[in-house]
């Protein structure tokens, strides 16, 4: 062993989209080079290099003085065997941080700046603190529309792109903010049953109790290799998969790992994230769903119209046919909030169960109908009727079952968590308001989406009559600590307002 090399040791720690290295405090290289905890180091072996955040260890059982420990993320990325000798050095500060600092000072960035930043992020040159600085600097309204175009293009160029060799590849995306609202899992089987290509790749939840990938994971495998994803889509005309394994706009997944704990979901970054992912997935025709409501992500019609213009501006310049649907965001869509409860709602709609949530069914048919009208053989205005026929005839559930089998069916258990608390109406009257944000927060505190069985099951929706002491929803959890926190949150604010019929919250626009 050379004095300036260390032997790799695999440390079984999941550091989630961040490379972490571990050095023993008594390591000669640590002392000689003056490394500091949380500094960035460069690890080189056989022509391969890796950048990692350094953690200093005082326990020889974790890593010995002659070893360099690597987290699971770092070990897999370096892709060498345990015991291999590597060299370790200080990592140069990423040059693109100068652009981030200029953005913090209010300057405008150009295309080359955004390409440099995204390239350094993908190459793991940024620490999570540096990524947080970039997100804050470009958050809220700090990007003009040209900068937004540059960011989207840079994110798109950060990874691979799929090419389906078809002129029409459909997709849809909701900007989020509405609990439930799992329309993609109905739209995909309906559109695929019509014969159109709709390869739906989704992110996991960022700030919500469930994303499409989290809910589909209740029914089938969603971590699909690019090769397997291609085979499934070719066979079934559609899929419902997590996009992370396909390396589509990978910088987006890395940034999401920082956005999630910070609760950041700014307008510009949201547009760039959505469009870069859809373009990378090979989409040519896209429906964007923007729900509007007083507790939705978009709260005013003027915001929705401004956001629509941003989507259209970037989409037009990146050559994707894009239509925006502004929808009713006054309350959760469906009854369930959380992966298992949302999967139950999906299956009830597909099975044409009379107890299925009608709002989820209707919204899904409207979205699927608009996508079907992308088909040049379908006249405008006919899409909804075609989508309804596909659902009513059983073709949609048959297609969903085919997709589930192709992706790898799971032993499906749609029973919610074993811990249950009913929340009761405090007075007689009519449900006049449901707070989307509060309902999502209660479901998340209960354990969703990591705990698939946790969440909230709504028993009453807007305009429905209730009596004092009647249950309005149920909280489900699997772990007592989560359950206790969710109960307290609901006791402080149950998210419902009850009054008279004339005070029922009206749509902000005629949908």
């Amino acid at each position: 062993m050379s004095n300036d090399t260390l032997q790799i040791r695999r440390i079984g720690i999941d550091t989630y989209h961040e490379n972490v290295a571990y050095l023993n405090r008594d390591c000669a290289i640590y002392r000689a080079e003056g490394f500091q905890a949380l500094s960035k180091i460069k690890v080189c072996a056989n022509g391969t290099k890796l950048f990692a955040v350094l953690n200093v260890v005082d326990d020889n059982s974790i890593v010995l003085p002659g070893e360099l420990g690597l987290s699971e993320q770092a070990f897999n990325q370096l892709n060498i065997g345990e015991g291999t000798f590597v060299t370790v050095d200080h990592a140069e500060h990423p040059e693109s941080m100068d652009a981030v600092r200029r953005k913090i000072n209010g300057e405008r960035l150009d295309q080359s700046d955004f390409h440099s930043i995204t390239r350094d992020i993908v190459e793991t040159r940024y620490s999570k603190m540096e990524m947080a600085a970039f997100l804050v600097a470009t958050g809220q309204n700090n990007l003009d529309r040209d900068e937004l175009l540059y960011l989207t293009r840079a994110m798109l160029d950060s990874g691979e792109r799929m090419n389906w060799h078809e002129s029409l590849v459909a997709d849809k995306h909701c900007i989020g903010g509405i609990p439930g609202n799992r329309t993609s899992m109905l739209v995909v089987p309906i559109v695929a049953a019509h014969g159109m290509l709709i390869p739906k790749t989704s992110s996991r939840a960022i700030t919500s109790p469930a994303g499409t990938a989290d809910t589909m994971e209740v029914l089938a495998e969603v971590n699909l290799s690019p090769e397997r994803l291609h085979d499934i889509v070719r066979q079934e005309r559609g899929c419902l998969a997590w996009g992370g394994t396909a390396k589509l706009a990978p910088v987006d997944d890395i940034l999401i790992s920082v956005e999630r704990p910070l609760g950041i979901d700014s307008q510009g970054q949201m547009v760039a994230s959505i469009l870069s992912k859809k373009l990378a997935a090979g989409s040519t025709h896209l429906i964007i769903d923007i729900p509007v409501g007083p507790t939705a992500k978009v709260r005013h019609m003027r915001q929705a119209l401004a956001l629509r213009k941003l989507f259209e501006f970037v989409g037009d310049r990146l050559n994707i046919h894009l239509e925006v649907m502004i929808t009713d965001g006054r309350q959760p869509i469906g009854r369930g909030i959380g992966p298992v409860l949302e999967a139950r709602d999906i299956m009830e709609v597909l099975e044409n169960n009379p107890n299925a949530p009608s709002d989820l069914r209707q919204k899904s048919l409207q979205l699927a109908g608009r996508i079907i009208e992308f088909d040049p053989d379908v006249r405008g205005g006919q899409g909804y009727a075609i989508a309804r026929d596909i659902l009513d005839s059983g073709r949609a559930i048959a297609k969903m079952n085919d997709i589930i089998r192709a992706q790898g069916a799971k032993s499906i258990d749609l029973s919610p968590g074993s811990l249950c608390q009913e929340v009761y109406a405090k007075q007689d009257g009519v449900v006049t308001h449901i707070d989307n944000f509060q309902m999502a927060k209660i479901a998340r505190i209960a354990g969703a989406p990591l705990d698939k069985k946790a969440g909230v099951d709504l028993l009453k929706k807007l305009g429905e009559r209730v009596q004092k002491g009647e249950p309005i929803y149920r909280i489900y959890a699997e772990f007592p600590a989560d359950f206790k926190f969710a109960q307290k949150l609901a006791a402080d604010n149950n998210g419902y307002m009850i009054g008279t019929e004339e005070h029922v919250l009206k749509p902000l626009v005629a949908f």
Side-chain angles (χ1 to χ4, degrees):
M1 172 180 169
S2 168
N3 289 332
D4 61 352
T5 61
L6 295 170
Q7 205 166 11
I8 287 295
R9 181 170 182 174
R10 184 176 188 171
I11 308 296
I13 298 177
D14 180 0
T15 51
Y16 191 63
H17 285 298
E18 183 171 34
N19 293 334
V20 178
Y22 305 86
L23 269 181
N24 192 294
R25 195 180 300 275
D26 292 327
C27 172
I29 292 178
Y30 167 72
R31 292 172 177 271
E33 295 293 337
F35 291 123
Q36 292 184 339
L38 299 184
S39 64
K40 266 290 179 95
I41 62 171
K42 180 170 67 175
V43 183
C44 297
N46 303 327
T48 302
K49 64 182 177 181
L50 170 99
F51 298 94
V53 174
L54 179 64
N55 284 346
V56 180
V57 176
D58 291 307
D59 187 343
N60 286 1
S61 66
I62 297 174
V63 62
L64 294 170
E67 295 176 328
L68 176 73
L70 292 180
S71 66
E72 289 292 301
Q73 160 91 9
F75 184 82
N76 292 334
Q77 186 174 329
L78 196 57
N79 196 29
I80 60 174
E82 196 168 15
T84 303
F85 288 103
V86 298
T87 59
V88 181
D89 200 354
H90 292 276
E92 307 87 358
H93 288 290
E95 291 184 8
S96 64
M97 271 303 295
D98 289 339
V100 174
R101 282 187 281 270
R102 283 192 278 114
K103 190 61 189 171
I104 290 172
N105 291 330
E107 292 186 33
R108 194 171 173 277
L109 303 185
D110 61 22
Q111 184 68 77
S112 63
D113 290 325
F114 284 105
H115 269 121
S116 297
I117 291 167
T118 55
R119 182 171 57 250
D120 281 344
I121 291 173
V122 170
E123 292 177 356
T124 67
R125 293 176 183 270
Y126 275 43
S127 67
K128 287 196 172 180
M129 286 183 287
E130 289 166 331
M131 283 188 277
F134 170 67
L135 289 168
V136 172
T138 57
Q140 300 311 315
N141 298 315
N142 292 338
L143 293 175
D144 64 31
R145 66 178 195 171
D146 287 320
E147 286 180 301
L148 178 54
L149 173 62
Y150 301 152
L151 174 59
T152 307
R153 189 178 284 134
M155 291 173 72
L156 174 62
D157 293 343
S158 73
E160 299 172 6
R161 295 185 71 166
M162 292 182 174
N163 187 344
W164 300 99
H165 302 288
E166 295 198 20
S167 60
L168 202 167
V169 181
D171 206 343
K172 61 117 344 219
H173 191 91
C174 177
I175 67 163
I178 305 298
N181 201 29
R182 204 52 56 218
T183 54
S184 292
M185 291 178 64
L186 292 163
V187 168
V188 168
I190 291 171
V191 172
H194 178 66
M196 296 171 68
L197 201 72
I198 181 163
K200 176 67 176 169
T201 58
S202 306
S203 299
R204 296 186 183 275
I206 301 176
T207 57
S208 68
T212 297
D214 302 297
T215 302
M216 184 63 179
E217 199 169 33
V218 172
L219 308 175
E221 297 293 336
V222 296
N223 295 343
L224 307 176
S225 68
E227 297 77 19
R228 192 169 167 213
L229 189 147
H230 268 90
D231 291 344
I232 291 168
V233 173
R234 287 293 176 208
Q235 177 183 328
E236 304 298 342
R237 305 296 291 170
C239 70
L240 286 151
W242 177 55
T245 53
K247 297 181 180 178
L248 305 176
V251 71
D252 183 47
D253 295 309
I254 298 168
L255 291 174
I256 283 173
S257 73
V258 179
E259 289 173 332
R260 181 182 285 114
L262 292 177
I264 293 175
D265 198 9
S266 72
Q267 179 174 287
Q269 288 151 1
M270 175 179 66
V271 171
S273 171
I274 292 169
L275 292 185
S276 63
K277 272 287 197 287
K278 297 308 173 188
L279 285 157
S283 302
T284 63
H285 292 67
L286 176 64
I287 292 287
I288 298 288
D289 172 17
I290 302 181
V292 181
T295 57
K297 189 176 289 186
V298 174
R299 303 194 172 189
H300 304 285
M301 193 60 190
R302 65 178 180 275
Q303 287 178 275
L305 294 174
L307 189 55
R308 181 171 71 183
K309 286 182 178 179
L310 277 181
F311 273 113
E312 290 172 345
F313 173 81
V314 178
D316 181 61
R317 279 147 187 80
L318 294 178
N319 299 316
I320 185 169
H321 182 98
L322 183 150
E323 292 185 18
V324 173
M325 290 179 66
I326 298 174
T327 58
D328 187 352
R330 293 174 297 162
Q331 64 177 334
I333 302 293
R335 292 194 305 271
I337 305 172
V340 160
L341 294 167
E342 293 176 21
R344 176 208 63 195
D345 285 357
I346 293 295
M347 297 310 291
E348 285 182 354
V349 173
L350 286 169
E351 292 164 355
N352 293 302
N353 186 319
N355 296 319
S358 60
D359 57 347
L360 178 61
R361 172 188 162 92
Q362 287 302 115
K363 182 171 182 179
S364 299
L365 288 174
Q366 289 168 358
L367 291 165
R370 285 285 286 274
I371 293 175
I372 288 171
E373 288 175 9
F374 287 144
D375 183 345
D377 294 329
V378 173
R379 276 197 208 162
Q382 289 185 331
Y384 179 89
I386 293 172
R388 185 181 58 198
D389 177 67
I390 291 170
L391 181 59
D392 290 347
S393 67
R395 290 163 61 200
I397 182 64
K399 176 54 69 177
M400 183 61 155
N401 286 333
D402 289 343
I403 291 172
I404 287 171
R405 280 192 293 270
Q407 291 188 199
K410 294 194 172 180
S411 178
I412 298 172
D413 176 11
L414 297 183
S415 59
S418 57
L419 302 173
C420 177
Q421 168 73 52
E422 289 189 335
V423 176
Y424 304 102
K426 296 179 179 179
Q427 64 188 68
D428 294 344
V430 171
V431 177
T432 61
H433 176 85
I434 301 176
D435 187 331
N436 286 307
F437 180 79
Q438 184 69 3
M439 301 316 300
K441 189 174 181 182
I442 292 169
R444 278 175 37 236
I445 293 296
L450 295 179
D451 176 7
K452 294 282 194 286
K453 291 176 173 285
V456 170
D457 202 15
L458 304 180
L459 305 176
K460 297 292 182 180
K461 301 291 284 286
L462 282 179
E464 294 187 17
R465 191 164 294 281
V466 297
Q467 294 182 334
K468 183 178 180 179
E470 184 179 6
I472 51 178
Y473 61 85
R474 298 188 183 102
I475 301 170
Y476 288 101
E478 284 284 85
F479 301 101
D482 293 337
F483 188 50
K484 181 179 177 182
F485 285 130
Q487 286 177 302
K488 183 179 185 307
L489 189 60
D492 292 341
N493 175 7
N494 68 21
Y496 272 60
M497 290 179 63
I498 296 170
T500 58
E501 287 186 11
E502 58 266 28
H503 292 116
V504 174
L505 191 64
K506 299 296 188 294
L508 297 183
V509 66
F511 297 99

